[in-house]
């Protein structure tokens, strides 16, 4: 991304060059590029810019910047959830976009200080996160699916919306020649066989779907930290609240996190998990782990990182698939 292009975007957002003190690209953006902007009036802002439309990507990623804007605006409606404020959104019509300019939330990513947290502080923060996630889930959308409708149009029912989402990432796996632990056709059959449990979901809730520690900012002194921001809502969709437990308990089980669940319950969230709920959570883990395995190809990650992903994600995908039960026999498309 050239400096001239960034200056053009900032000018379109009402920040001409004379009002920009500093602009630096931040590490960590794996799809959209991320830039930290310091304005002359003292504001700290974040500029996100998607890759060119011709760049390889997963189907769901087309237009996810629009989803991030939807997430932050919707999360603000929940009240008390620290998320960036959308300053300017450009979807790429006749302007300099597409891009998204937001306020910067204070704090340090949780994963950067995780090793310094004592058990009591960690439990308190997990409870705080649970309460905030419960608030997010009180926000409802117009229908189920991705706002950008990159996979399919928003749907009136969750089951067809989610199966379309998961089918799309399996199609991406075939398209990019990704080595999965089991054939794509078998995974597809198993998911579709388990999908009737999705019919229990009738209200499209706001789902972040990327609540790993790197997207939770902590602020304050050691021992007295609090959550200063929930960021990177670009993977959001309107769906089942239980889907957020896949990433908030990444490589684990949310039922093994009593502090989070206690906070979630205190915020009004439901924490009674029956067999159908556990099957739904297994479906969402399958979807998340498939994304993690497939995205390494279009993003052209280095060989070492690809090997790390295969080594760490594959057994968790297999466990989530096993939790769905046996797949029915019969033909299915790859």
């Amino acid at each position: 991304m050239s400096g001239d292009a960034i200056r053009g975007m900032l000018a379109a957002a009402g920040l001409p060059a004379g009002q920009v003190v500093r602009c630096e690209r931040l590490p960590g953006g794996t799809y959209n590029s991320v830039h930290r902007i310091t304005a002359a009036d003292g504001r700290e802002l974040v500029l996100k810019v998607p890759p060119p439309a011709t760049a390889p990507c997963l189907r769901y990623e087309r237009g996810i910047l629009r989803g991030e804007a939807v997430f932050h605006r919707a999360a603000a409606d929940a009240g008390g959830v620290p998320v960036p404020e959308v300053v300017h959104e450009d979807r790429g019509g006749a302007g300099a976009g597409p891009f998204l300019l937001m306020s910067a939330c204070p704090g340090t990513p949780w994963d950067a200080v995780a090793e310094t947290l004592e058990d009591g502080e960690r439990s308190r923060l997990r409870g705080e996160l649970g309460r905030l996630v419960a608030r997010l889930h009180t926000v409802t959308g117009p229908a189920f699916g991705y706002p950008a409708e990159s996979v399919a149009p928003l749907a009136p029912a969750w089951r067809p919306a989610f199966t379309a989402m998961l089918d799309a990432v399996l199609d991406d796996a075939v398209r990019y020649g990704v080595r999965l632990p089991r054939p794509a056709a078998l995974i597809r059959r198993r998911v579709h066989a388990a999908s009737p449990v999705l019919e229990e979901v009738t209200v499209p809730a706001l789902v972040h779907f990327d609540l790993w520690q790197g997207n939770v900012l902590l602020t304050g002194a050691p021992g007295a930290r609090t959550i200063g921001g929930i960021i990177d809502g670009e993977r959001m969709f309107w769906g089942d609240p239980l889907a957020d437990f896949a990433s908030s308990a990444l490589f684990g089980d949310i039922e093994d996190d009593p502090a989070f669940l206690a906070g979630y319950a205190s915020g009004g969230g439901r924490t009674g998990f029956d067999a159908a709920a556990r099957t739904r959570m297994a479906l969402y883990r399958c979807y998340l782990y498939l994304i993690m395995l497939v995205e390494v190809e279009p993003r052209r990650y280095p060989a070492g990182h690809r090997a790390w992903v295969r080594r760490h994600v594959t057994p968790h995908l297999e466990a989530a698939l096993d939790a769905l039960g046996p797949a029915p026999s019969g033909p299915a498309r790859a």
Side-chain angles (χ1 to χ4, degrees):
M1 177 64 61
S2 71
D4 286 343
I6 291 175
R7 283 189 287 273
M9 292 175 185
L10 294 175
L15 274 179
Q19 295 183 24
V20 176
V21 174
R22 185 176 61 175
C23 174
E24 60 175 331
R25 180 161 182 171
L26 299 178
T30 56
Y31 182 71
N32 298 309
S33 64
V34 186
H35 306 262
R36 180 87 175 210
I37 310 297
T38 302
D41 59 10
R43 286 181 297 165
E44 294 292 331
L45 304 169
V46 173
L47 173 71
K48 278 196 168 184
V49 184
T54 55
C57 69
L58 305 188
R59 265 179 62 193
Y60 90 92
E61 291 178 313
R62 293 293 184 205
I64 61 172
L65 202 61
R66 176 181 174 186
E68 180 151 16
V70 168
F71 176 83
H72 294 315
R73 289 180 174 129
D77 292 339
V81 181
V83 292
E85 176 188 357
V86 176
V87 175
H88 186 88
E89 178 189 10
D90 192 318
R91 297 182 183 175
F99 67 89
L100 182 64
L101 186 65
M102 303 167 286
S103 63
C105 288
T108 302
W110 186 323
D111 64 322
V113 297
E115 296 301 319
T116 69
L117 298 178
E118 296 186 358
D119 290 344
E121 185 175 24
R122 181 187 182 280
S123 294
R124 179 178 56 77
L125 288 167
R126 290 298 293 176
E128 183 181 352
L129 180 61
R131 287 191 297 275
L132 294 176
V133 173
R135 288 183 190 173
L136 291 177
H137 293 164
T138 65
V139 182
T140 58
F144 293 97
Y146 290 108
E149 301 185 309
S150 52
V151 168
L154 289 173
W158 177 228
R159 182 183 180 183
F162 179 75
T163 52
M165 291 158 60
L166 200 139
D167 281 343
V169 77
L170 286 173
D171 291 344
D172 288 330
V174 174
R175 178 159 56 105
Y176 289 114
V178 177
R179 186 178 72 197
L180 298 176
R182 300 178 191 178
L186 177 61
I187 295 174
R188 200 183 304 269
R189 285 200 302 269
R190 183 163 290 186
V191 165
H192 280 258
S195 67
V197 297
L198 301 172
E199 294 176 1
E200 294 187 357
V201 183
T202 58
V203 178
L206 180 64
V207 176
H208 184 284
F209 207 59
D210 202 9
L211 289 170
W212 74 290
Q213 291 181 348
N215 288 337
V216 180
L217 304 182
L218 301 183
T219 186
R225 295 181 178 95
T226 188
I227 294 176
I230 294 177
I231 61 172
D232 286 354
E234 57 196 11
R235 280 184 173 171
M236 69 78 63
F237 52 77
W238 300 111
D240 183 355
L242 295 185
D244 262 338
F245 296 160
S247 60
S248 57
L250 188 63
F251 301 147
D253 187 333
I254 201 66
E255 293 189 72
D256 295 329
D257 192 345
F260 180 96
L261 291 177
Y264 189 74
S266 72
R270 297 180 60 183
T271 58
F273 305 128
D274 57 14
R278 292 186 176 98
T279 298
R280 281 153 51 198
M281 289 191 287
L283 284 167
Y284 308 140
R285 289 195 295 271
C286 287
Y287 182 50
L288 179 60
Y289 297 144
L290 281 168
I291 288 174
M292 294 175 71
L293 284 171
V294 177
E295 69 185 8
V296 302
E297 292 301 328
R299 294 184 183 184
R300 300 189 176 103
Y301 286 153
H305 184 73
R306 296 185 194 202
W308 184 94
V309 169
R310 284 196 301 270
R311 185 169 62 252
H312 285 82
V313 177
T314 297
H316 292 285
L317 172 58
E318 292 185 300
L321 288 169
D322 289 342
L324 300 179
S329 59
R333 64 189 179 94

